[in-house]
Amino acid sequence: QEVLGEDKLMAILKERELKIYWGTATTGKPHVAYFVPMSKIADFLKAGCEVTILFADLHAYLDNMKAPWELLELRTRYYEHVIKAMLESIGVPLEKLTFVRGTDYQLSKEYTLDVYRLSSVVTQHDAKKAGAEVVKQVEHPLLSGLLYPGLQALDEEYLKVDAQFGGVDQRKIFTFAEKYLPSLGYAKRIHLMNPMVPGLTGSKMSSSEEDSKIDLLDRKEDVKKKLKKAFCEPGNVENNGVLSFIKHVLFPLKSEFVVLREEKWGGNKTYTAYEALEKDFAEQVVHPGDLKNSVEVALNKLLDPIREKFNCPELKKLSSAAYPTPSKAKPGEKGTKNSEPEDVIPSRLDIRVGKVISVEKHPDADSLYVEKIDVGEAEPRTVVSGLVHFVPKEQLQDRLVVLLCNLKPQKMRGVESQGMVLCASSVGEPRQVEPLDPPAGCCAGERVYVEGYEGGEPDEELKPKKKVFEKLQADFQISEDCVAQWKQRNFLTKLGTVSCKSLKGGSIS
């Protein structure tokens, strides 16, 4: 989509082949949009470039701990296997590629010193701006997220490349590198950017938004189901993830696309130019249903070799260990309602540290507070809590609390509550209640997890009929040391355990 430094590119090509790298942070599972950079890597190799693929494991940890340290090695191994399987699926010879892990060199004395040197010249404003579209944005960002762009800039020097390739969403990091690498005496590199493919919901395809993406290991039934739900309005070519996938993946790989349809609707039609397909779709000559069915067939041809490779016991085990998410139906099982994730495990709960910004009495209920609580989002959440008789208003104001964030919002006496403040409760009478305390030094928005369940993705919204929270809550308790636990496993943030002041042996609600 864009090239920065084209004159330098042309000058190098007069003397030798280009040295280029593409990096990926080993966070969520790679999805089909990764075929966009893979097809371009195939082009680079055909053009004679020397290509390095960086598995940026340290970056994954720095980006708001998207990959917990204890899962880093497993996720990096998963990425290595799945990216190689993708490349093989589209016919890219692996022997022409160099594969590198970030921690192979990013923990060296020289690199670490350069990180310090860079931090002495980079402004906080520039670091935050550079990572704005790549690093997860929260109201109180961790220092790690500010370091991220600098590390990516230094990678260009330490990998000894002429150019870095990435998505256009990384443009600010690329211009950051161009500005700051020369201040350390290092050369400014060339930057090449591919477009971002819209997800199936119309926005950017994302690992963290389940319905927006098709996983590389999704079963054929899952591919069909997700494409069926995909945004593909008749005649609408804007933010159309199905059309975009054809344009940016299937056409570059095959140089053609076949729309499969019954004879009564005109029969199959082969397109050798994407523009002709887009024109026919815009004029409603091609129906969304036929387009989706055709993409499904083409996509499964790409995914079959990857699925086959990951069908061995060793890689199945690696996949489940690297991403310990709620289990789904096994490959080959019928896709029924019961094939949805049913494991009732703590990682399904979206629990975060919150800071109480304001507390007021509910206008229509004497026992309820209405609080505004910052959980690291653009706007604070409104939360209704029945704490009036247990916690004085001044003790809640400005304190840190632990908030369950993915309950379905519900109205409580006319005010919609967007979360639940988790509290310890005494067992006997008179009843005592204390809000749970995150460790000192925590920031609003930090994830709270249960020991051993650090890596799972929480449900987007807990379905009330499934009673996931209620089932888990039955095993919540306060230990004799006043630590919050589930089945004797501690509630944790990265700074330590979640606790209460005094209610030993109490329950949590």
Side-chain angles (χ1 to χ4, degrees):
Q1 179 165 326
E2 188 177 0
V3 179
L4 301 176
E6 194 165 349
D7 292 346
K8 187 174 183 179
L9 172 68
M10 295 306 179
I12 290 171
L13 288 174
K14 287 177 183 174
E15 299 176 10
R16 58 174 173 80
E17 301 298 357
L18 195 73
K19 295 177 182 178
I20 187 167
Y21 102 85
W22 173 81
T24 179
T26 53
T27 52
K29 283 186 174 182
H31 44 71
V32 294
Y34 278 61
F35 276 115
V36 178
M38 294 304 110
S39 63
K40 186 52 62 177
I41 286 169
D43 288 347
F44 291 144
L45 289 172
K46 286 173 194 166
C49 299
E50 290 181 32
V51 182
T52 297
I53 289 182
L54 170 67
F55 297 111
D57 46 1
L58 197 55
H59 290 73
Y61 180 70
L62 291 175
D63 187 0
N64 216 46
M65 290 205 333
K66 282 185 185 174
W69 192 260
E70 59 277 5
L71 291 177
L72 217 51
E73 167 63 19
L74 292 167
R75 292 198 177 174
T76 305
R77 279 168 50 205
Y78 177 87
Y79 262 70
E80 196 163 339
H81 283 290
V82 85
I83 295 291
K84 286 178 178 177
M86 286 184 80
L87 290 164
E88 287 171 339
S89 166
I90 61 173
V92 176
L94 299 185
E95 61 273 11
K96 290 188 176 182
L97 289 161
T98 302
F99 295 93
V100 179
R101 294 184 182 204
T103 46
D104 289 346
Y105 64 90
Q106 289 166 346
L107 301 176
S108 68
K109 179 182 175 183
E110 295 77 15
Y111 188 94
T112 303
L113 183 58
D114 272 344
V115 172
Y116 287 133
R117 289 174 64 206
L118 198 59
S119 67
S120 71
V121 294
V122 172
T123 65
Q124 182 184 354
H125 171 269
D126 283 2
K128 187 175 181 181
K129 181 182 173 185
E133 293 191 40
V134 177
V135 179
K136 185 176 180 181
Q137 298 299 297
V138 293
E139 188 156 343
H140 302 289
L142 299 175
L143 182 59
S144 57
L146 299 176
L147 290 174
Y148 188 112
L151 269 69
Q152 189 166 335
L154 288 171
D155 290 339
E156 298 179 348
E157 175 65 25
Y158 279 78
L159 292 171
K160 301 300 177 190
V161 294
D162 307 305
Q164 183 179 176
F165 165 56
V168 74
D169 61 335
Q170 301 199 49
R171 192 183 196 280
K172 289 176 182 174
I173 289 184
F174 292 164
T175 55
F176 171 95
E178 292 188 4
K179 177 179 178 179
Y180 282 107
L181 276 189
S183 68
L184 300 188
Y186 297 143
K188 184 194 293 188
R189 264 60 180 196
I190 301 154
H191 295 101
L192 305 101
M193 287 160 270
N194 64 255
M196 304 308 294
V197 177
L200 302 178
T201 54
S203 57
K204 175 183 165 184
M205 195 174 287
S206 166
S207 295
S208 59
E209 191 184 341
E210 186 60 34
D211 283 344
S212 81
K213 51 101 180 185
I214 292 172
D215 190 278
L216 295 168
L217 300 181
D218 272 349
R219 300 169 303 150
K220 291 187 177 183
E221 306 95 288
D222 298 324
V223 173
K224 180 183 284 292
K225 183 178 170 185
K226 288 180 179 179
L227 280 170
K228 194 173 181 180
K229 288 165 62 179
F231 176 78
C232 191
E233 197 174 53
N236 187 351
V237 299
E238 298 298 320
N239 294 323
N240 187 322
V242 181
L243 272 177
S244 292
F245 189 75
I246 297 169
K247 179 179 181 180
H248 296 299
V249 177
L250 299 178
F251 258 106
L253 290 175
K254 302 292 183 185
S255 301
E256 65 175 33
F257 181 73
V258 181
V259 173
L260 307 169
R261 57 190 176 188
E262 296 178 30
E263 287 299 328
K264 64 179 178 180
W265 304 118
N268 295 353
K269 183 170 182 182
T270 300
Y271 291 88
T272 53
Y274 170 75
E275 291 71 23
L277 171 62
E278 187 180 275
K279 181 173 181 288
D280 277 0
F281 186 82
E283 293 173 358
Q284 299 191 34
V285 175
V286 174
H287 188 272
D290 293 329
L291 193 73
K292 289 179 179 183
N293 290 339
S294 307
V295 168
E296 181 188 337
V297 170
L299 182 53
N300 278 320
K301 283 181 183 174
L302 289 176
L303 297 181
D304 277 340
I306 304 171
R307 294 184 188 117
E308 184 61 34
K309 185 171 182 180
F310 272 77
N311 205 27
C312 69
E314 181 191 351
L315 291 184
K316 278 183 179 179
K317 185 178 177 183
L318 173 62
S319 181
S320 59
Y323 297 94
T325 49
S327 64
K328 297 185 180 175
K330 294 173 185 173
E333 286 183 348
K334 265 193 170 179
T336 67
K337 286 185 179 179
N338 294 328
S339 67
E340 293 299 318
E342 281 303 330
D343 281 5
V344 181
I345 54 175
S347 54
R348 293 182 66 177
L349 304 179
D350 181 4
I351 306 176
R352 298 183 228 166
V353 175
K355 183 174 182 180
V356 180
I357 297 172
S358 68
V359 190
E360 301 294 339
K361 281 274 196 78
H362 192 296
D364 298 317
D366 292 340
S367 63
L368 301 178
Y369 285 132
V370 178
E371 304 124 2
K372 293 286 186 185
I373 301 180
D374 175 12
V375 286
E377 297 169 332
E379 298 290 334
R381 292 192 177 212
T382 300
V383 178
V384 180
S385 304
L387 296 174
V388 171
H389 300 316
F390 302 103
V391 185
K393 182 178 170 180
E394 57 273 13
Q395 286 185 19
L396 275 178
Q397 181 67 45
D398 297 325
R399 73 169 285 160
L400 292 180
V401 293
V402 174
L403 195 73
L404 178 61
C405 294
N406 59 342
L407 288 174
K408 184 176 181 179
Q410 61 175 344
K411 286 198 173 180
M412 298 179 71
R413 302 289 287 273
V415 177
E416 185 175 82
S417 182
Q418 300 165 325
M420 177 193 288
V421 176
L422 295 181
C423 299
S425 297
S426 62
V427 178
E429 294 294 336
R431 189 179 176 217
Q432 295 175 276
V433 176
E434 296 173 356
L436 295 183
D437 291 314
C442 282
C443 295
E446 282 184 36
R447 178 96 187 265
V448 177
Y449 53 88
V450 170
E451 193 174 3
Y453 291 89
E454 296 89 339
E457 285 290 329
D459 291 13
E460 191 170 324
E461 184 177 279
L462 297 171
K463 295 181 172 61
K465 288 182 181 178
K466 300 274 186 181
K467 298 200 177 296
V468 173
F469 173 67
E470 290 81 356
K471 290 172 185 174
L472 290 165
Q473 185 190 9
D475 293 302
F476 286 178
Q477 63 181 36
I478 302 296
S479 74
E480 291 304 308
D481 299 326
C482 290
V483 173
Q485 295 183 330
W486 175 79
K487 291 188 175 180
Q488 299 183 322
R489 292 171 180 254
N490 294 343
F491 280 55
L492 299 167
T493 73
K494 65 180 185 295
L495 294 180
T497 56
V498 172
S499 60
C500 71
K501 289 193 169 48
S502 64
L503 300 181
K504 298 177 183 179
S507 61
I508 300 173
S509 56

